[in-house]
Amino acid sequence: MSSAPHHWILTLVPHGTPDGAPGPEPVCSAVTIAVSTAVLGPGPVAWAVQTALEMTEESIARMPEFGGGPAPFATLRATVESTVLLALRGLLEDLSPRDEAITEEAAAGGAEFARRGIPLDRVLRGVRIGHARLHQALAAAIATLPEPDRRTESRRVSDLLFAYADAHASLVAEEYLAERAHWKAGREAERRRVVERLLTGKDVPAGAASTTLGYELARHHQAFVVVADDRHRAATGLQRYVEDLGRALAADGWLAVPAVPGQVSAWAGWRAEPAPDRTDRARQLPQPPGIRVAAGPVAYGPKGMRRSHLGAREGARVAAQHSDPTFRWCDYAQVRALSLATADREQARWYAEDILGSLLADDERTRELRETLRVYLDCERSPRAAAEQLHIARNTVTYRVHKAEELLGHPIGDPMELRLALEIARTLEQDPKPGP
């Protein structure tokens, strides 16, 4: 250890992960991960990814304004993850912070916090909380070193981390203030403020708001939330698809507002109530790989604009929990019951446990029985139709339904509650755990 006192950093590995089991996937860009892996190796990078996820969850628990859904969570997590990786590289090479003390992801995060209106003092408090949590995690690793390395490394890491935290806070503040000035100066800032007031249910003068937005509020609206699987995807490509979507809907007006990286909120507007086949026309538009679309219900006026957006947002939430390709385009009408049922995840699981009992067991065989029973009920209890949809024999459907009934402890009976419980179970199976 004496010849290379800093090399304990290269031995860091995620904690609490079974041998061979993967840890959480990184959210930084592929370039950031590749550069860090070349310097640190896969173990310390995996440690940094896990530690950054825990730091992100703690920051949002202590400061909820950084949350607000999967996309803001991912933005903060990328900011923290890239900063932890940079700090590890600096500690390994004993480098004092320079101009690169802020990463590209952290700079983008600082700008995003400014656009979301999070006060600068809260942003800087988040930086302090994060660095304190990182120091705690590193101190636990240093505690395993023999003396005198333990004492030397503890002092060195504390001094360097303090310098990195100070430089990081200064550079984040610079990015924040520059973006805030730009944001306030532009017309886009005013448009976003109007949209935010509308979406929070505040009264907005319709005439003035329509002028600011360049979009008439006194009409029928349908909202869309368009999300890229890769949040680092170029905004221009996402915006281009959104514009094509507006043309495909043959709307009288169209409004698109970037929400967070990798996501756009949009509205189509019609003076008269739109034809029922409007969504069918939009679905025929070639949907680029890696893009998901959620559509809200049609509703009228400023309140309808908010109502439709909330529906689209819920559709996006439910669809994100399904790997089924049919959910790449999700209309709120197809998931509204499931949206209501899973709004409180804990209550939803209790409901599924009460209805399904042993049929909720988390093993491959039981999941197979649940899926067969769900499709069987969707097919109006037709074994033949269910077999065709599942690509299995009709007798297999009958056998699995019988086994599912044995686990339920009773015949199917009225399927309404059972169908809802099966849909809840299917959704919760794929529910990504983190993130508020």
Side-chain angles (χ1 to χ4, degrees):
M1 198 68 192
S2 57
S3 61
H6 312 335
H7 282 192
W8 60 270
I9 295 170
L10 300 179
T11 68
L12 293 172
V13 291
H15 62 80
T17 302
D19 291 344
E25 289 291 326
V27 292
C28 283
S29 69
V31 172
T32 297
I33 297 301
V35 170
S36 299
T37 302
V39 175
L40 299 167
V45 169
W47 180 91
V49 170
Q50 182 190 67
T51 302
L53 176 57
E54 294 169 353
M55 291 165 63
T56 303
E57 292 171 336
E58 179 178 337
S59 293
I60 291 178
R62 296 175 65 176
M63 293 186 295
E65 59 266 44
F66 281 99
F73 182 86
T75 297
L76 179 60
R77 186 180 164 197
T79 298
V80 175
E81 187 178 285
S82 65
T83 302
V84 173
L85 289 168
L86 179 66
L88 285 187
R89 285 154 48 194
L91 290 171
L92 177 66
E93 298 172 357
D94 205 22
L95 298 175
S96 297
R98 298 185 295 272
D99 290 342
E100 63 267 33
I102 186 170
T103 64
E104 183 177 340
E105 290 89 346
E112 177 60 28
F113 301 148
R115 290 194 292 272
R116 290 175 56 198
I118 299 175
L120 179 57
D121 64 332
R122 302 295 286 171
V123 173
L124 296 180
R125 181 167 182 251
V127 171
R128 291 194 296 272
I129 288 173
H131 278 274
R133 178 68 175 76
L134 176 59
H135 184 270
Q136 182 182 13
L138 289 169
I142 292 171
T144 65
L145 300 178
E147 291 290 358
D149 290 342
R150 184 192 312 166
R151 184 168 55 255
T152 302
E153 282 298 276
S154 179
R155 186 181 305 112
R156 184 184 74 88
V157 167
S158 293
D159 291 345
L160 268 180
L161 274 187
F162 180 85
Y164 270 91
D166 187 52
H168 183 204
S170 297
L171 292 168
V172 166
E174 288 179 14
E175 293 290 338
Y176 178 102
L177 293 172
E179 180 63 25
R180 197 66 179 164
H182 171 75
W183 188 252
K184 286 182 177 179
R187 178 171 176 265
E188 191 61 32
E190 184 59 29
R191 282 160 52 92
R192 184 158 181 162
R193 278 195 289 271
V194 170
V195 169
E196 287 176 351
R197 288 185 64 85
L198 285 166
L199 297 184
T200 54
K202 296 177 180 176
D203 289 333
V204 176
S210 298
T211 300
T212 299
L213 296 174
Y215 175 79
E216 180 57 55
L217 270 60
R219 65 174 93 192
H220 300 271
H221 308 280
Q222 184 174 26
F224 297 86
V225 172
V226 182
V227 184
D229 292 339
D230 178 5
R231 57 186 301 278
H232 301 289
R233 185 171 185 150
T236 52
L238 198 61
Q239 189 70 32
R240 191 178 304 115
Y241 172 73
V242 168
E243 292 169 359
D244 291 342
L245 180 60
R247 285 189 289 270
L249 288 161
D252 299 323
W254 181 259
L255 173 66
V257 179
V260 291
Q263 182 172 316
V264 173
S265 298
W267 289 263
W270 296 269
R271 296 182 185 88
E273 190 165 357
D277 66 346
R278 70 195 177 281
T279 303
D280 293 336
R281 293 198 303 270
R283 282 177 181 268
Q284 294 172 10
L285 177 70
Q287 193 168 330
I291 285 182
R292 292 177 280 117
V293 183
V298 173
Y300 185 81
K303 291 183 178 179
M305 190 175 171
R306 176 175 183 267
R307 165 75 183 90
S308 189
H309 172 75
L310 294 179
R313 195 171 70 183
E314 273 297 284
R317 177 185 70 83
V318 175
Q321 298 165 343
H322 286 273
S323 57
D324 188 333
T326 60
F327 281 89
R328 303 300 296 180
W329 178 292
C330 181
D331 195 305
Y332 175 69
Q334 76 187 81
V335 297
R336 56 190 169 196
L338 192 55
S339 164
L340 183 63
T342 59
D344 184 320
R345 181 179 164 188
E346 188 175 33
Q347 291 281 354
R349 179 165 291 282
W350 289 342
Y351 178 91
E353 289 172 351
D354 289 344
I355 302 300
L356 298 179
S358 298
L359 190 56
L360 193 60
D362 188 21
D363 61 81
E364 184 176 353
R365 177 59 176 162
T366 309
R367 288 194 294 270
E368 185 178 68
L369 295 179
R370 282 200 302 272
E371 178 62 9
T372 301
L373 181 58
R374 186 190 68 81
V375 173
Y376 171 74
L377 293 175
D378 278 350
C379 293
E380 304 297 331
R381 305 198 196 194
S382 168
R384 180 184 59 78
E388 290 177 357
Q389 187 167 327
L390 292 167
H391 306 292
I392 58 177
R394 176 175 175 172
N395 288 343
T396 303
V397 172
T398 302
Y399 172 78
R400 289 180 184 175
V401 169
H402 176 67
K403 286 296 182 183
E405 288 180 322
E406 288 182 356
L407 290 177
L408 286 171
H410 56 77
I412 291 173
D414 183 355
M416 184 178 69
E417 285 193 332
L418 179 57
R419 290 180 68 173
L420 180 57
L422 288 167
E423 289 291 350
I424 289 173
R426 184 180 180 222
T427 298
L428 295 182
E429 280 171 16
Q430 302 178 71
D431 192 3
K433 296 263 191 271

